[in-house]
Amino acid sequence: MVSAKRLLLFLWLLAATCQCLSLRHIPPHDPEATAADDGVSSLATNVDGPLDSTTGDDSASNADVLAENPPTAVPVNPDGISNPNFFPVSSESGSATSSSDSTALYIATALGGRVPRRARLCADNPQVAAYAQMLESQQTQIASEVGVASTNVAYSYKYSTNGFAAVLTADQLRRVKRHPAVASVRASARKQLFTTDSPAFLGMNSAGSLWPANGGQAKAGEGMVIGIVDTGIWPEHPSFSDAGFSSSRPAGWSGKCETTKEFKCNNKLIGARAFYQGFKSANGMNLAGDWLSPRDANGHGTWCAGAAAGNRGVPMAGGKASGMAPAARLAMYKVFWMNKDGDTFADESDIIAAVNQAVADGVDVISLSLGGVNPMDTYFDDIAFLNANLAGVFVAFAAGNDGPPQGFRTLDNYAPFYLTVGASSIARGGLTLASSPKSSRAAAANETSVSALPSAGDSAPAVTDFSSTGPLVFPDIGTGNGLATDSILKPDIIGPGLDLFAAWPGKRVGDKGTDAQLSGTSMATPHLAGIAALIMQKYPSWSPAQVMSAIMTTATTKGVGGAAITAAFGKTATPWDMGAGHVFPPKVLDPGLTYDARKSAYLNFLAGLDMERTQQEYPNENLKSVPPRELNRPTISITSLKGTLTVTRTVTNVADSASTYSAKIQKPNGVEVTVKPSSFTVSPGKKVTFVVTFKVTKTSKSFQFGSLTWVDDKGHSVRSAIAVKPVQK
């Protein structure tokens, strides 16, 4: 028998951006436009692109099929195929059953235009509903043309992505590959989990930091919704109590709670859904010790939700815990399940459906502590997350737990559309801004740290020995395949991820739950998701790229007293270990300058890697082939520097007054670095473009590191990490 395969089908379909109420339609050829006029936009059926952001419901059918299965303990080992709670793959839905023809799980997707930050679409608007129905009809027609029964269609994607997931036979695979509407085909991969409270260590309550700037800890995150894509949530835990939360929902929210006999939401946990159709189609499901609902039987999702937005002052491990954004609302999207062998993982089709729905529901931030290393991944595999970015949704992704490379990169989740987060320990001394020796740590006055502290001699955090690192191994060939390139420096940032306490499920439905101490980049990621939500609360007009920039350019590479952040084996951490450095919340709200990237920049980046593929995804865009290093990011990486090369960057003044900035350069070994202009004066809201020239003076077989920092006389220090491999004079 030929074993079942899971493949991903990318399909280009006609699409349009249709907004409701006070938002105007933004044509795809005007990617930098912003919402201006009032009135309801008309349905644009002649414009390509999906509904980038909407309040629709792509998976309402999930609620109709949720079975009641309240186990008594969390979790128990499965007892194999004989388990009455195991759902085998049926021959009808795409099978692992005996057959002369193999089957495959496909996903069809497409991209489209950007909508402005906080501009959400309304699925119950007649125009949007009609448009979504049109997309689904097109998807149904294509499925029918290749002989796919409607019962074999797992998902219809209409928002952050446009397309569908379905189980196909090998013959249907051949037919769909030849279909004129199909752009590409790839596997729908398995994703694995990347397996307290640290506000005092991070200085969340210090002067100018995120809590005071947003009205204090009690209001930190107010009006924001953080979506967690994970193993589910334990709704009874005190970290998710709705005491003090209004029954009114944040503006633009239209998500739902898939309520069952044993699972209900509240005014804190305002959305919860379960996605399992792809997993079930390809693997079967083992519900021993689990629920076919958003309830968490694993614990991982509950922990991450608590770290991102758990309530303040929750007794835990001898102290009082708080999430980064304690006043934010939560939405859980459960995608992890157990198969007949007892393995817990998620199917990529379910993850895409969850992200699609989260954008549709109206989340502000999505946190994903998951991944699956595939050295042949391309940036096109992360299309759904680019769509979320273009819709104004900030995405935080875990870097992975495979440690430093042993002749091969271990980093997962390396696209530039989202923040890739590595893990650090917590130093007893705390953090300090590298360029400001006078800075000192200010503890959160009302919080007791429940984190396990390292030895008394530690004065700086360290990159944990499990945190995955770069660089990528692929050369920056920039043509013909869209492979990931180490001209994108990843991870982006590190944050607390070692021996931390947060919320944990109880043993029976109705239990209040407990706490658990965990380590992993999974733990660091929701910290950064919560921090991003607080930045967006303060500056709702900033793009996701600007939020990333503020986090990265204000990061520190030092602990108290100037001790350098270290990596595995005690070596000084490099940007391939820690990205821009360790997140430093007291500075993120006043970065001075930000590096922004919008739709045109990302599409030109993709075109520089694979023009043909990008044209297939964006047939009506005015694309330019741009080298990956030219994407306007707050870090610079050059894979193979030969002779002299220039890199261009543009910054925006986000401060309230004009400033004059001067460049401070820390040169990588063997490389001469010059910047033109070397100083500039910029008014509030204005942009300045500069050119950095790199010239090889001494060759090396390895990357060399440095930095470019723009400094003004008002305390701003805008630092960009540099990684260069000088291979030829």
Side-chain angles (χ1 to χ4, degrees), residues 93-166:
S93 63
S95 78
T97 59
S98 60
S99 171
S100 60
D101 195 9
S102 63
T103 59
L105 180 61
Y106 284 76
I107 304 169
T109 63
L111 292 178
R114 175 182 68 88
V115 294
R117 165 95 279 280
R118 299 286 293 176
R120 300 190 179 99
L121 304 180
C122 304
D124 54 356
N125 179 283
Q127 294 174 323
V128 176
Y131 173 73
Q133 182 59 48
M134 179 268 291
L135 287 183
E136 188 167 357
S137 297
Q138 290 180 337
Q139 297 163 14
T140 301
Q141 179 181 348
I142 290 172
S144 176
E145 288 174 358
V146 298
V148 179
S150 60
T151 55
N152 281 2
V153 176
Y155 292 108
S156 172
Y157 305 132
K158 301 183 286 289
Y159 303 106
S160 72
T161 39
N162 168 23
F164 63 94

Side-chain angles (χ1 to χ4, degrees), residues 1-23:
M1 184 187 96
V2 180
S3 62
K5 298 178 181 177
R6 294 167 297 120
L7 298 178
L8 181 64
L9 165 68
F10 284 96
L11 168 69
W12 178 259
L13 296 176
L14 185 68
T17 300
C18 180
Q19 303 169 4
C20 62
L21 300 178
S22 64
L23 303 178

Side-chain angles (χ1 to χ4, degrees), residues 196-202 237 239-240 299-324 424-426 447-454 496-505 513-520 522-524 526-527:
T196 186
D197 204 31
S198 36
F201 167 71
L202 292 172
H237 198 284
S239 290
F240 316 124
H300 189 275
T302 297
W303 199 105
C304 291
N311 290 330
R312 66 191 180 105
V314 177
M316 198 173 295
K320 290 186 177 180
S322 172
M324 295 295 99
S424 73
S425 65
I426 291 182
E447 289 298 308
T448 302
S449 174
V450 243
S451 303
L453 296 174
L498 180 66
D499 295 337
L500 304 178
F501 284 91
W504 198 252
T514 180
D515 54 66
Q517 185 182 43
L518 300 182
S519 296
S522 282
M523 286 58 256
H527 282 78

Side-chain angles (χ1 to χ4, degrees), residues 531-622:
I531 287 170
L534 297 179
I535 298 173
M536 296 165 75
Q537 179 187 5
K538 184 67 174 179
Y539 301 120
S541 65
W542 282 14
S543 71
Q546 287 181 289
V547 176
M548 280 190 273
S549 176
I551 290 171
M552 294 168 66
T553 61
T554 61
T556 180
T557 61
K558 307 288 185 181
V560 167
I565 293 175
T566 58
F569 313 114
K571 69 182 183 72
T572 299
T574 75
W576 290 122
D577 300 310
M578 62 179 177
H582 199 289
V583 62
F584 192 71
K587 289 290 185 180
V588 295
L589 292 180
D590 188 22
L593 306 171
T594 60
Y595 294 81
D596 199 4
R598 304 290 175 113
K599 181 181 179 182
S600 60
Y602 288 126
L603 297 194
N604 291 338
F605 160 79
L606 291 175
L609 291 168
D610 191 333
M611 175 62 82
E612 181 179 357
R613 174 70 182 277
T614 309
Q615 287 174 331
Q616 290 175 336
E617 299 285 359
Y618 298 90
N620 294 328
E621 296 292 338
N622 182 22

Side-chain angles (χ1 to χ4, degrees), residues 164-177:
F164 63 94
V167 176
L168 308 180
T169 65
D171 178 64
Q172 290 166 345
L173 167 60
R174 289 188 290 270
R175 295 174 63 185
V176 82
K177 281 184 174 180

Side-chain angles (χ1 to χ4, degrees), residues 363-549:
V363 302
D364 298 282
V365 175
I366 300 175
S367 180
L368 301 106
S369 293
L370 53 87
V373 175
N374 180 356
M376 296 306 291
D377 278 352
T378 77
Y379 289 117
F380 296 97
D381 297 343
D382 280 341
I383 272 324
F385 306 107
L386 172 57
N387 274 342
N389 178 299
L390 299 180
V393 178
F394 184 95
V395 179
F397 243 127
N401 289 342
D402 291 321
Q406 301 296 324
F408 194 77
R409 65 95 181 169
T410 63
L411 182 73
D412 200 9
N413 303 322
Y414 38 74
F417 327 131
Y418 46 70
L419 188 77
T420 303
V421 185
S424 73
S425 65
I426 291 182
R428 186 172 298 278
L431 296 170
T432 188
L433 196 61
S435 61
S436 180
K438 295 182 180 179
S439 298
S440 61
R441 178 177 64 91
N446 298 319
E447 289 298 308
T448 302
S449 174
V450 243
S451 303
L453 296 174
S455 65
D458 291 335
S459 58
V463 182
T464 63
D465 58 7
F466 56 75
S467 188
S468 293
T469 63
L472 304 181
V473 297
F474 305 121
D476 184 9
I477 55 177
T479 180
N481 58 17
L483 285 174
T485 166
D486 48 9
S487 279
I488 300 299
L489 200 162
K490 290 276 181 169
D492 293 311
I493 200 77
I494 58 173
L498 180 66
D499 295 337
L500 304 178
F501 284 91
W504 198 252
K507 292 184 177 181
R508 301 179 65 90
V509 173
D511 287 356
K512 294 298 184 183
T514 180
D515 54 66
Q517 185 182 43
L518 300 182
S519 296
T521 55
S522 282
M523 286 58 256
T525 302
H527 282 78
L528 270 297
I531 287 170
L534 297 179
I535 298 173
M536 296 165 75
Q537 179 187 5
K538 184 67 174 179
Y539 301 120
S541 65
W542 282 14
S543 71
Q546 287 181 289
V547 176
M548 280 190 273
S549 176

Side-chain angles (χ1 to χ4, degrees), residues 416 476 485-490 492 545 549 552-553 576 593-598 601-602 605 626-639 645-653 663 673-680 682 686-694 707-710 718-724:
D476 184 9
T485 166
D486 48 9
S487 279
I488 300 299
L489 200 162
K490 290 276 181 169
D492 293 311
S549 176
M552 294 168 66
T553 61
W576 290 122
L593 306 171
T594 60
Y595 294 81
D596 199 4
R598 304 290 175 113
Y602 288 126
F605 160 79
V626 174
R629 65 178 179 274
E630 290 292 335
L631 183 62
N632 198 45
R633 284 175 50 81
T635 54
I636 298 174
S637 177
I638 302 175
T639 287
L645 191 68
T646 62
V647 174
T648 303
R649 290 289 188 269
T650 299
V651 290
T652 303
N653 183 5
V673 183
T674 57
V675 183
K676 290 186 178 180
S678 59
S679 65
F680 57 80
V682 58
K686 300 300 182 181
K687 301 177 183 290
V688 170
T689 297
F690 59 89
V691 177
V692 187
T693 300
F694 298 88
S707 62
L708 165 63
T709 306
W710 291 103
V718 189
R719 183 180 181 275
S720 292
I722 295 173
V724 180

